[in-house]
Amino acid sequence: MIIKAVKFRKDGFYSQPFAFGGEEGPAAFDPNVRYRGSLQNYLIDTGDEVILVDTGLPAGTPEEKPDETSPAFTGRDICSYMEALAALGYTPGRVTKILLTHKHADHSGELKSFPNAKIYVNEAECAADELQGLPNIVPVRFTDGAYYNFPESQKIADGVYFIKAAGHTKGNSIVVAECGGLFYMLHGDITYVDEALYANKLSVVFEDPAAARETLDRVREFIRSRPTVYCGTHTPQGYENLEAGRVTDLDDPPETVFEAYDFSTEAASGKYVCSVCGYVYDPAEHDGAAFEDLPDDWVCPRCKQPKSKFNRA
C-alpha cells in the first residue's frame, strides 16, 4: 500500500480563535497567533485499486486575498487538484473509489471528474447541494460494526476503513489506512491544524458541537492507544507527518513554526470566497450587490458561516 498527498494550495494560515475557539469562544484566544495552513487531500494505492480521500477545490476557484483581520486563509494555488493528481502519475480512469470525508467544496470539488469511480459518502451527507447530480454516489450506512473505539465503520478494502465521525458536519467521516504497522488517519476537518489536536480544542466550524467533541475525544483516545500518523487537510503538518511516517505523541507537541504573512494590498476582483466551504460570492450573480453592502447577519448560502469567514478574491 502507498499513501500520497495530493497538494494543491500552500502558504495559508488559521488564526488561534478560528482553530481553537469552538467551545470557549473565539474571544478567549489571541487573533495575532496564526498557524500554518495549506490544502491537500490523499490517495491510497493498494496495488489493486486507487482510492481517493476527497477531491479538492473545483477548478477555477479564485484565490483569496486575506488581510490582517482574516481568521482563515486556505492558501495560494500550487496548481489545480486535477493537475496535482496528474503530477503524482494518476489519471481519473485509474481511480476506483472515492471516500468523501464531508460535503464542503474543498473536499468534494472535483467529484464530477471521476464518473467511473464509486463515491462513498456517509448517508447523512447525501442530500447536500454539493453532491446533487452525481449518479455514482454510494450511501454508506456503516454496517461493519465498531472499529476499535469508533462505534460505526465500513471496511472499504483490505486495511482501509471508513469511519463515522460526525460533528464538523452531521455526515462527517474519517478514513484509517493500516500499513506497515501504522494507522494512517486521513481526515478532513477534525482539526484544522495539529496544534488544536494537541491542545484538545475544537475549531469554530461545526454543525453539531456535541458530536464534534465526542469525535475529537475518540480520535485522541485512538491516537493514545495505537501508533497513528495524523494526516489533515488544512495544514502542511498533514503531509509532513505522512512523508516522515511520524507517529503522533499527544504528550510531545511539535514546535509551531509560522513566518509572518505579507498582507500587501493586492487588486481585488469584487468577488469573495468562503474560507470554510469555498463558496464564491460574485456580485454579478447577485444583481450587482457588493459583498460589503450585504447585511451584517448575511450568512454563506452553502455552509451558513458569517461574513467574517469570507476573504476577498
Side-chain angles (χ1 to χ4, degrees):
M1 181 185 295
I2 299 171
I3 305 171
K4 298 183 179 182
V6 187
K7 307 171 189 176
F8 52 98
R9 280 194 173 177
K10 64 178 182 177
D11 300 331
F13 64 76
Y14 292 91
S15 71
Q16 191 179 73
F18 181 97
F20 282 26
E23 291 175 309
E24 294 95 328
F29 300 96
D30 186 348
N32 296 311
V33 175
R34 298 185 178 93
Y35 305 107
R36 293 184 299 153
S38 61
L39 272 176
Q40 63 276 335
N41 297 145
Y42 296 95
L43 176 151
I44 305 168
D45 188 336
T46 69
D48 295 320
E49 57 183 333
V50 175
I51 302 171
L52 300 182
V53 180
D54 294 342
T55 62
L57 284 165
T61 300
E63 286 187 7
E64 306 151 52
K65 295 178 172 60
D67 60 30
E68 291 86 344
T69 67
S70 298
F73 170 47
T74 59
R76 303 295 185 199
D77 286 337
I78 301 170
C79 59
S80 71
Y81 174 85
M82 297 304 292
E83 289 169 338
L85 183 67
L88 294 177
Y90 293 89
T91 61
R94 290 185 61 190
V95 176
T96 54
K97 295 173 182 173
I98 299 170
L99 308 181
L100 187 69
T101 64
H102 65 287
K103 60 191 175 183
H104 291 158
D106 50 342
H107 301 262
S108 63
E110 287 293 340
L111 290 176
K112 65 183 184 302
S113 297
F114 301 91
N116 299 321
K118 293 181 179 180
I119 304 170
Y120 291 78
V121 183
N122 184 330
E123 63 177 346
E125 205 86 333
C126 289
D129 290 345
E130 295 92 331
L131 306 184
Q132 300 313 296
L134 296 169
N136 45 335
I137 294 285
V138 178
V140 176
R141 296 179 174 86
F142 303 99
T143 57
D144 288 340
Y147 180 78
Y148 294 98
N149 65 312
F150 293 98
E152 297 178 77
S153 72
Q154 195 81 39
K155 183 177 180 179
I156 301 299
D158 287 344
V160 180
Y161 299 87
F162 198 49
I163 298 165
K164 192 173 185 178
H168 179 69
T169 67
K170 292 180 180 178
N172 199 72
S173 306
I174 60 179
V175 176
V176 173
E178 300 176 0
C179 181
L182 300 178
F183 296 81
Y184 291 83
M185 183 174 285
L186 314 174
H187 71 93
D189 304 347
I190 301 301
T191 58
Y192 277 84
V193 297
D194 284 18
E195 288 85 354
L197 172 73
Y198 288 94
N200 196 16
K201 301 295 184 184
L202 294 176
S203 81
V204 297
V205 185
F206 45 65
E207 292 182 352
D208 186 332
R213 167 43 61 191
E214 181 179 353
T215 289
L216 183 56
D217 287 346
R218 290 189 186 280
V219 165
R220 284 171 53 85
E221 178 186 349
F222 185 94
I223 288 171
R224 283 200 181 279
S225 302
R226 290 157 199 92
T228 303
V229 181
Y230 189 70
C231 302
T233 296
H234 291 278
T235 170
Q237 289 176 319
Y239 64 76
E240 291 168 358
N241 293 341
L242 172 65
E243 291 166 1
R246 182 181 299 124
V247 172
T248 301
D249 180 352
L250 293 178
D251 297 319
D252 186 20
E255 181 182 0
T256 293
V257 178
F258 183 79
E259 296 180 3
Y261 189 83
D262 181 6
F263 292 105
S264 300
T265 301
E266 302 176 57
S269 65
K271 299 177 183 179
Y272 277 72
V273 182
C274 179
S275 60
V276 173
C277 77
Y279 175 82
V280 180
Y281 181 88
D282 184 347
E285 298 175 358
H286 296 271
D287 298 322
F291 184 83
E292 295 84 351
D293 295 335
L294 296 174
D296 290 343
D297 60 355
W298 183 89
V299 297
C300 176
R302 181 180 289 157
C303 71
K304 311 306 178 187
Q305 293 296 310
K307 288 178 68 177
S308 63
K309 299 297 192 304
F310 280 72
N311 289 321
R312 295 176 303 137

